[in-house]
């Protein structure tokens, strides 16, 4: 069992309090590692180290090409150790090994992408064209790093979320203090070892562990911090935005979702049925952009649901390390209980349970936080199970009368992270997509993202975008530089107003 240390200012250190806590495998409740239980003083040390590193400029003033080289080196190590990291991520997060292998593959590829961006992204001043009095002055647009970035991430995709945060911040020359979710710190700690091994300048990357509320608040209010990047729940996102306002930090947020998955009457059912299961139950439904509100036309509704139920009844729950297993445990007992509470609420609201509905027990599952894949039908869009994020294996099926009604229900949500439409007619589907208020809309697919394509939410799903050049823009300040070329006093007649 590894006893990890925090990584602050280029040193591996214990918490100021010397306290530690154990990291638990959610499949069997066994301790798999321990990490320091940090606090406000550790946040301060990490922020001071990041501030110093930024101000000294060893990273922020380094050329994009040099930063690129170091990031690509890190990416190639991630690629070599893909198998090992998939296993660690599974043990830590309860993700099935098939999911965590995909994550480990994507983590390496995406860090390499951010590394390439470091070399290519707007590193030269852009001359602004079309000025009045051309030839007498220049205006240049320059992108500069924002400074010290606090980065706070959730437990559902611990490894990928760390890459999505560190990659763009480092590519653009910022220094960072990253805090993984307290339940899933392992891959962030492994990343610290890699950055150290490669020789990133001291204080550029700082990784700290401990409770989210106290440390998170310190990371959000510290006067030396310039930007907060957060992925997590909408309720914490709101708090962060409010706290960060005191010092007017830049804030980007990737928060919750309750995506509508609209099946059109001409959809290819073979794909749409499996696709809807994939959309809502991937990683036991613990996915922010999951398609958790399935909208079906009344015609064909019953057989669509029957087929999903049939498939879910043969789903294999168990040890995430077993490649045959499709459903692992939920992250924690409180998360499991919160999901079971929502199932109770659904019943009380009058929705009809079609399958699942209980904690999954049985020989192997006793020690883990397993919930049966669950489907509610006869859900109306104003029920809590249609409005609130459950973040577990629970699908709410809603009937619609016509496409206009489906769209208006889809948009009747505080969230706007993602949505999906299934139809054999792409033009028809595109028309629906254009009316959906969400940052990511899939046609005949779900969950698939590209690091080239910006991702993020409308409404209370967040602020800002990750990926693509747009994602890097979120980590830069814009400086406009004016260079005079008028040369003579005569060419500056406005001085006459005063002199
Ligand atoms: P959470 O909001 O409880 O915690 C997220 C992170 O914030 C953790 O690191 C936690 O320690 C920290 N934190 C807790 N309280 C804080 C505070 N007061 N100030 C600052 N930081 C604080 O979320 P979670 O339960 O870890 O993750 C699940 C949620 O994350 C879901 O709502 C899900 O939709 C969302 N999520 C969104 C995306 C996205 O890209 N939009 C991706 C993954 C997860
Ligand atoms: Mn864990």
């Amino acid at each position: 069992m590894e006893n990890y240390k925090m990584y602050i200012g280029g040193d591996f250190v214990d918490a100021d309090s010397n306290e530690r806590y154990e990291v638990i495998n959610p499949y069997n409740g066994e301790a798999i590692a321990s990490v320091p239980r940090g606090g406000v003083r550790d946040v301060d040390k990490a922020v001071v180290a990041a501030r110093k590193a930024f101000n000294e400029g060893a990273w922020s003033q380094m050329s994009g090409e040099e930063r690129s080289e170091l990031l690509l080196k890190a990416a190639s190590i991630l690629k070599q150790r893909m198998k090992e990291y998939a296993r660690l991520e599974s043990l830590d997060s309860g993700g099935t090994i098939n999911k965590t292998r995909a994550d480990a593959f994507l983590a390496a590829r995406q860090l390499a992408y951010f590394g390439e961006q470091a070399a290519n992204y707007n590193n030269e001043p852009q001359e602004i064209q079309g000025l009045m009095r051309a030839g007498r002055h220049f205006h240049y647009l320059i992108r500069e790093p924002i400074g010290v970035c606090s980065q706070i991430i959730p437990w559902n995709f611990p490894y990928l979320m760390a890459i999505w945060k560190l990659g763009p911040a480092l590519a653009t020359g910022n220094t960072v203090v990253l805090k993984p979710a307290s339940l899933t710190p392992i891959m962030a700690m492994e990343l610290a070892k890699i950055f150290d091994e490669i020789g990133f300048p001291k204080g550029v990357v700082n990784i700290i562990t401990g409770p989210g509320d106290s440390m998170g608040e310190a990371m959000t209010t510290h006067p030396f911090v310039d930007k907060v990047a957060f992925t997590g729940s909408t309720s914490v996102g709101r708090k962060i935005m409010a706290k960060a306002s005191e010092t007017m930090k830049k804030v980007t947020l990737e928060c919750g979702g309750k995506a509508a998955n609209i099946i059109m009457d001409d959809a290819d059912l073979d794909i749409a049925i499996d696709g809807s299961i994939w959309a809502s139950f991937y990683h036991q439904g613990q996915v922010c952009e999951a398609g958790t509100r399935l909208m079906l036309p009344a015609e064909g509704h019953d057989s669509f649901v029957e087929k999903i139920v049939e498939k879910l009844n043969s789903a294999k729950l168990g040890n995430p390390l077993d490649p045959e297993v499709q459903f692992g445990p939920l992250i924690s007992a409180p998360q499991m209980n919160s999901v079971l509470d929502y199932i109770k609420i659904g019943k009380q609201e009058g929705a009809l349970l079609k399958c699942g509905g209980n904690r999954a027990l049985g020989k192997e599952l006793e020690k883990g936080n397993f919930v049966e894949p669950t489907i509610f039908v006869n859900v109306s869009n104003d029920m809590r199970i249609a409005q609130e994020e459950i973040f577990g294996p629970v699908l709410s099926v809603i009937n619609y009368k016509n496409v206009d009604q489906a769209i208006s229900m889809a948009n009747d949500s505080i969230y706007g992270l993602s949505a999906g439409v299934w139809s054999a007619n792409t033009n028809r589907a595109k028309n629906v997509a254009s009316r959906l208020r969400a940052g990511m809309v899939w046609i005949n697919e779900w969950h698939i993202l590209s690091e080239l394509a910006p991702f993020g939410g409308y409404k209370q799903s967040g602020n800002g975008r990750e990926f693509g050049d747009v994602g890097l823009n979120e980590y830069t300040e814009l400086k406009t530089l004016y260079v005079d070329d008028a040369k003579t006093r005569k060419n500056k007649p406005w001085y006459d107003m005063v002199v």
Side-chain angles (χ1 to χ4, degrees):
M1 185 169 110
E2 183 150 356
N3 298 313
Y4 289 99
K5 295 197 171 196
M6 295 196 272
Y7 186 54
I8 297 179
D11 294 320
F12 288 93
V13 296
D14 284 310
D16 188 79
S17 67
N18 263 316
E19 285 177 42
R20 307 184 71 78
Y21 69 92
E22 287 182 332
V23 181
I24 302 299
N25 177 349
Y27 164 61
N28 55 18
E30 285 170 15
I32 49 174
S34 82
V35 294
R37 186 191 300 281
V40 171
R41 277 204 291 273
D42 303 290
V43 172
D44 183 61
K45 282 183 195 164
V47 169
V48 167
R51 184 80 257 165
K52 184 164 180 280
F54 186 83
N55 292 355
E56 287 173 358
W59 183 253
S60 48
Q61 316 236 329
M62 191 184 267
S63 75
E65 285 75 12
E66 286 172 285
R67 286 199 295 264
S68 170
E69 214 170 283
L70 286 170
L71 287 166
L72 290 173
K73 229 184 236 177
S76 81
I77 294 176
L78 299 192
K79 199 168 171 195
Q80 285 158 29
R81 300 185 190 161
M82 232 155 56
K83 266 194 144 161
E84 177 194 343
Y85 290 158
R87 189 169 169 280
L88 284 176
E89 179 82 342
S90 249
L91 291 171
D92 192 15
S93 69
T96 63
I97 192 71
N98 295 314
K99 171 194 184 273
T100 56
R101 277 180 190 153
D103 291 349
F105 168 80
L106 289 171
R109 188 177 88 183
Q110 290 167 357
L111 190 60
Y113 168 72
F114 292 125
E116 279 153 23
Q117 270 185 314
N120 302 327
Y121 168 83
N122 282 325
N123 288 322
E124 300 301 324
Q126 309 290 308
E127 192 181 330
I128 293 169
Q129 305 294 328
L131 300 173
M132 287 170 69
R133 301 185 309 113
R136 296 202 179 164
H137 65 132
F138 300 95
H139 270 79
Y140 298 100
L141 201 54
I142 302 171
R143 287 205 175 261
E144 296 184 343
I146 294 177
V148 174
C149 301
S150 280
Q151 306 191 304
I152 302 173
I153 55 176
W155 44 257
N156 57 345
F157 287 77
Y159 185 13
L160 277 179
M161 291 304 104
I163 298 298
W164 289 26
K165 291 288 176 278
L166 295 169
L170 295 174
T172 42
N174 298 276
T175 61
V176 305
V177 177
L178 173 89
K179 194 194 79 61
S182 42
L183 295 170
T184 56
I186 290 184
M187 277 313 302
M189 307 318 268
E190 290 293 332
L191 288 171
K193 291 196 259 177
I194 292 173
F195 289 117
D196 189 67
E197 182 182 323
I198 291 175
F200 275 66
K202 286 183 194 314
V204 169
V205 179
N206 303 276
I207 300 188
I208 55 179
T209 48
D213 42 4
S214 54
M215 290 178 86
E217 180 167 338
M219 291 171 73
T220 307
T221 52
H222 199 298
F224 285 1
V225 171
D226 299 295
K227 170 184 167 120
V228 185
F230 169 78
T231 296
S233 60
T234 290
S235 60
V236 172
R238 284 187 199 112
K239 279 189 210 164
I240 286 179
M241 211 170 166
K243 292 278 176 192
S245 72
E246 290 161 20
T247 43
M248 218 176 276
K249 302 186 194 314
K250 307 286 184 278
V251 177
T252 46
L253 305 168
E254 299 285 355
C255 298
K258 191 75 190 182
N261 177 18
I262 302 176
I263 312 295
M264 307 281 279
D265 54 14
D266 65 349
D268 176 332
L269 294 184
D270 255 8
I271 304 179
I273 288 167
D274 286 6
S276 298
I277 297 174
W278 158 249
S280 52
F281 291 101
Y282 185 52
H283 196 35
Q284 297 79 254
Q286 301 169 116
V287 183
C288 50
E289 40 75 341
T292 48
R293 287 184 293 155
L294 176 60
M295 304 207 165
L296 293 176
E299 186 95 2
H301 167 276
D302 291 346
S303 67
F304 197 100
V305 172
E306 286 313 322
K307 285 186 185 127
I308 293 185
V309 169
E310 216 171 280
K311 291 186 185 221
L312 286 179
N313 280 337
S314 60
K316 190 161 175 347
L317 282 63
N319 187 344
L321 292 178
D322 174 355
E324 299 283 302
V325 162
Q326 296 156 317
F327 285 72
L330 300 190
I331 187 65
S332 65
Q335 182 63 20
M336 175 179 70
N337 291 329
S338 151
V339 170
L340 293 172
D341 282 347
Y342 270 111
I343 294 173
K344 250 183 244 156
I345 290 167
K347 289 182 195 163
Q348 285 161 6
E349 288 179 308
L352 186 67
L353 197 62
K354 265 294 190 187
C355 70
N358 301 298
R359 177 172 182 184
L361 294 165
K363 56 176 169 45
E364 196 202 348
L365 309 179
E366 237 92 283
K367 291 185 189 152
N369 316 306
F370 287 88
V371 174
E372 297 169 347
T374 299
I375 298 187
F376 278 112
V377 295
N378 294 357
V379 176
S380 69
N381 196 53
D382 55 4
M383 290 180 184
R384 286 182 64 190
I385 58 165
Q387 289 292 324
E388 296 176 23
E389 194 175 38
I390 299 174
F391 230 59
V394 181
L395 177 61
S396 298
V397 183
I398 301 172
N399 268 339
Y400 69 82
K401 293 194 197 74
N402 54 54
V403 174
D404 284 345
Q405 190 205 13
I407 292 168
S408 91
M409 287 192 295
N411 290 336
D412 182 9
S413 167
I414 62 163
Y415 297 114
L417 185 56
S418 65
V421 191
W422 302 73
S423 166
N425 180 336
T426 306
N427 281 332
R428 207 173 156 225
K430 279 186 182 166
N431 177 273
V432 174
S434 73
R435 297 166 63 194
L436 293 171
R437 304 279 301 156
M440 176 79 228
V441 182
W442 287 281
I443 293 176
N444 299 329
E445 189 48 278
W446 211 282
H447 295 313
I448 307 294
L449 304 177
S450 163
E451 54 270 23
L452 297 167
F455 176 77
Y458 285 22
K459 300 192 264 182
Q460 293 186 43
S461 288
N463 246 340
R465 294 292 179 273
E466 296 184 287
F467 285 151
D469 278 357
V470 170
L472 258 62
N473 292 349
E474 308 277 7
Y475 281 94
T476 53
E477 288 276 22
L478 275 176
K479 177 179 281 176
T480 298
L481 181 66
Y482 181 104
V483 180
D484 178 69
D485 205 27
K487 305 241 165 62
T488 66
R489 170 67 178 82
K490 197 165 74 52
N491 282 333
K492 297 168 178 287
W494 43 88
Y495 288 5
D496 300 339
M497 285 190 273
V498 193
V499 212

